[in-house]
């Protein structure tokens, strides 16, 4: 990418032109890399000479499934309730959140290439380039906590769901803690076998399919339930008082860009990142709109969160619950890649000085130790699923919305004037992020 002194802001150029420039930078990285240095302490790497290079690059299709699987999770179940809070205007909030998510994800990848011919290695190093080593350490802590916390909550949810699914059977007496442990073991098996993003592709496919199937079941049940309603529940066009809460809950459903640097690095053709992310985000917005509009349209202001509580009980709801359980287990290994890949790079597990078997043993030991600690917290800390959302609200709001925009402006503002429109858009995203922080934290505290 020709990210020289005249680099233009994202809104003033097309995705194709930006990705073509980034590819050109990769092709010319040989000369630039010498001047920047590629020692172990450097935060830069040549676009052609990466430390621990990807063995099996991912296609755009694989990356599409990774993005959908990571983003479209259990948050879909609260979308009809988000429309209850904000009214039918909530459908517009979904489109707005999708636009913010795509923009934030694209500028984060742009920041990786802000040095001509070079690529930063991770989200944390983007922050270091923009705000120094102290900024990196803070964001690294927030990022890792957020991802590990989400996986921990996923294991708790999986344990609760499995326990409810086996209720009334011989397995009923095993209890929730046992099933949380089983969920943790299943995730552990995958992460010790997987070396890079490509290795968990099959889980992304099935994770995406379970989400789509869940949405299809909920939409079908909701539409079918309309025939049994004597009076249609009331709805509203907009609720200005609850609009911020509605927008915040919807924005959290689009969080996922912590994994984007690793996904883009794993692509066979990084120039396709923009198109792939935009297409995946559009697809996610479509399924979000489907479940939100049907759920709120059928059950109106009487809709519950999660939407499964409003649906008529029966086998389809049990199947949907099982699908969601499968999804959280399939998505967990993918979320953990953003933690493990960066940590293992910092620990130099991929050093050429180490034998392949030694590298593997180090990875297994490190990942096993971290998973054991996370599993014990999830099983034995009674308020784990209540405390994590408090800090998660802070971490997610900052690292998903605020920090990518702040880094983008900091790194590129001296290379070409931002238009007033782009400055306004960036300021709006930061405002939304801070609003999500305040609302998410207050709601999490209220649930204690």
């Amino acid at each position: 990418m020709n990210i020289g002194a005249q680099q233009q802001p994202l809104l003033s150029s097309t995705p194709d032109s930006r990705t073509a420039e980034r590819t050109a930078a990769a092709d010319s990285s040989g000369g630039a890399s010498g001047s920047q240095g590629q020692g172990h302490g450097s935060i830069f790497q040549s676009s052609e000479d990466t430390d621990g290079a990807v063995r099996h690059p991912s296609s755009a299709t694989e990356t599409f499934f990774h993005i959908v699987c990571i983003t479209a999770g259990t948050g879909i179940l609260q979308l009809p309730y988000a429309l209850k809070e904000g009214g039918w205007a909530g459908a517009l909030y979904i489109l707005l959140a999708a636009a913010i998510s795509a923009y934030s994800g694209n500028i984060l990848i742009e920041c990786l290439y802000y040095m001509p011919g070079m690529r930063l290695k991770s989200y944390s190093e983007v922050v270091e380039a923009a705000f120094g080593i102290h900024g990196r350490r803070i964001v690294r802590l927030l990022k890792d906590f957020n991802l590990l916390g989400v996986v921990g909550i996923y294991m708790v949810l999986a344990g609760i769901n499995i326990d409810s699914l086996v209720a009334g059977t011989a397995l009923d007496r095993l209890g929730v803690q046992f099933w949380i442990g089983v969920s943790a073991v299943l995730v552990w098996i995958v992460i010790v076998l997987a070396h890079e993003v490509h290795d968990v592709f099959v889980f992304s496919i099935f994770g995406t399919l379970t989400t789509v199937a869940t949405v299809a079941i909920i939409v079908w049940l909701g539409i079918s339930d309309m025939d049994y309603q004597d009076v249609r529940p009331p709805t509203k066009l907009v609720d200005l008082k609850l609009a911020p809460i509605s927008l915040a809950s919807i924005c959290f459903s689009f969080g996922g860009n912590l994994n984007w640097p690793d996904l883009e690095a794993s692509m066979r053709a990084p120039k396709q990142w923009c198109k792939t992310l935009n297409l995946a985000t559009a697809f996610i917005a479509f399924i979000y709109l489907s479940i939100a509009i049907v759920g709120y349209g059928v059950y109106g202001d009487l809709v519950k969160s999660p939407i499964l509580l409003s649906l008529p009980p029966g086998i389809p709801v049990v199947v949907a619950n099982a699908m969601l359980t499968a999804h959280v287990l399939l998505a967990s290994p993918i979320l953990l890649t953003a933690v493990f890949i960066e940590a293992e790079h910092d620990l130099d597990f991929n050093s050429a000085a180490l034998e392949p078997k030694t590298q593997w043993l180090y990875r297994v030991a490190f990942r096993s130790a971290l998973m054991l600690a996370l599993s014990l917290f999830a099983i034995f800390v009674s308020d784990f699923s209540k405390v994590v959302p408090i800090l998660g609200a802070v971490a997610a709001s900052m690292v998903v919305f605020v920090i990518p925009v702040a880094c983008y402006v900091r790194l590129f503002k001296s290379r070409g004037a931002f238009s007033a429109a782009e400055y306004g858009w960036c300021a709006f995203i930061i405002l939304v992020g801070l609003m999500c922080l305040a609302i998410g934290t207050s709601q999490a505290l209220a649930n204690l």
Side-chain angles (χ1 to χ4, degrees):
M1 181 176 185
N2 184 19
I3 313 179
Q6 299 302 317
Q7 167 69 24
Q8 295 300 311
L10 190 61
L11 290 183
S12 63
S13 59
T14 64
D16 288 341
S17 66
R18 291 193 307 274
T19 50
E21 290 168 352
R22 187 162 71 239
T23 304
D27 294 338
S28 63
S29 61
S33 61
S35 62
Q36 297 296 334
Q38 296 180 58
H40 179 67
S42 174
I43 66 171
F44 297 102
Q45 64 183 358
S46 165
S47 299
E48 292 178 343
D49 185 15
T50 61
D51 189 18
V54 177
R55 298 172 302 164
H56 305 291
S58 301
S59 66
T61 301
E62 289 177 293
T63 304
F64 173 89
F65 280 106
H66 286 318
I67 293 171
V68 176
C69 183
I70 289 171
T71 306
T74 55
I76 61 174
L77 299 181
Q78 53 83 32
L79 289 172
Y81 193 84
L83 261 66
K84 171 191 173 181
E85 293 176 321
W88 284 111
L92 297 179
Y93 301 160
I94 293 176
L95 296 177
L96 175 62
I100 291 174
S101 176
Y103 179 83
S104 176
N106 281 322
I107 63 174
L108 176 59
I109 299 304
E110 291 298 306
C111 288
L112 293 174
Y113 293 89
Y114 94 99
M115 287 294 293
M118 307 296 292
R119 183 189 187 276
L120 298 177
K121 301 169 187 174
S122 65
Y123 186 126
S124 301
E125 292 179 355
V126 168
V127 179
E128 181 178 354
F131 297 105
I133 187 64
H134 296 299
R136 170 181 178 161
R137 289 169 180 166
I138 293 172
V139 169
R140 175 74 177 275
L141 181 64
L142 291 174
K143 177 178 74 71
D144 289 352
F145 175 84
N146 185 60
L147 290 171
L148 291 172
V150 168
V151 173
I153 290 177
Y154 273 8
M155 291 191 297
V156 172
L157 290 175
I160 294 172
N161 287 348
I162 295 174
D163 187 63
S164 67
L165 290 171
V166 300
T169 70
L171 301 175
D172 192 9
R173 65 178 184 273
L174 294 176
V176 172
Q177 288 184 325
F178 174 82
W179 294 115
I180 294 175
V182 170
S183 301
V185 170
L186 293 175
V187 174
W188 171 79
I189 291 173
V190 176
I191 64 170
V192 297
L193 294 177
H195 179 206
E196 55 192 34
V197 174
H198 174 83
D199 297 334
V200 293
F201 169 54
V202 65
F203 295 96
S204 289
I205 292 180
F206 284 107
T208 300
L209 292 178
T210 57
T211 298
V212 173
T214 300
V215 172
I217 291 172
I218 293 173
V219 169
W220 169 60
L221 286 177
I223 294 175
S224 300
D225 206 24
M226 291 177 64
D227 297 333
Y228 300 96
Q229 292 180 338
D230 296 327
V231 179
R232 187 67 54 82
T235 61
K236 51 185 175 288
L237 180 62
V238 63
D239 188 329
L240 295 178
K241 182 179 179 181
L242 296 178
I245 296 177
S246 176
L247 178 58
S249 60
I250 290 170
C251 284
F252 277 127
S253 299
F254 279 93
N257 64 5
L258 299 180
N259 294 79
W260 293 175
D262 295 315
L263 293 186
E264 189 266 352
S266 73
M267 292 185 71
R268 184 177 300 115
K271 67 180 181 179
Q272 295 181 353
W273 169 258
C274 258
K275 290 182 179 179
T276 304
L277 177 62
N278 292 342
L279 181 61
T281 304
F283 177 75
I284 293 166
F286 171 74
I287 62 176
Y288 280 8
L289 285 170
S290 299
I291 192 171
I293 290 174
V294 170
Y296 186 57
V298 173
Y299 301 104
D301 291 335
L302 302 179
V303 70
K304 299 177 182 178
S305 179
I307 181 63
L308 294 177
L309 297 176
S310 294
L311 299 174
I315 293 179
V317 173
V318 174
V319 172
N321 203 9
M323 290 285 187
L324 285 172
T325 303
H327 173 86
V328 298
L329 292 177
L330 292 169
S332 292
I334 307 170
L335 291 170
L336 288 171
T337 57
V339 177
F340 291 137
I341 289 176
E342 186 172 0
E344 289 163 7
H345 174 270
D346 292 344
L347 294 170
D348 213 16
F349 285 175
N350 296 320
S351 171
L354 297 176
E355 294 291 332
K357 184 178 181 180
T358 303
Q359 294 180 14
W360 181 80
L361 289 174
Y362 282 173
R363 281 198 304 272
V364 170
F366 174 70
R367 297 182 181 194
S368 299
L370 198 56
M371 276 300 300
L372 177 61
L374 183 60
S375 303
L376 291 175
F377 270 101
I379 293 172
F380 295 110
V381 178
S382 59
D383 289 330
F384 178 85
S385 60
K386 294 182 179 180
V387 174
V388 168
I390 298 174
L391 299 178
V394 177
S397 301
M398 295 300 292
V399 299
V400 174
F401 302 112
V402 177
I403 294 174
V405 174
C407 289
Y408 178 61
V409 173
R410 181 71 175 260
L411 293 175
F412 290 112
K413 67 179 181 180
S414 63
R415 304 191 179 188
F418 280 75
S419 66
E422 183 147 19
Y423 269 126
W425 176 239
C426 289
F428 175 75
I429 294 176
I430 291 176
L431 179 63
V432 170
L434 295 176
M435 180 185 69
C436 290
L437 185 154
I439 293 174
T441 302
S442 63
Q443 289 183 331
L445 288 171
N447 290 331
L448 284 178

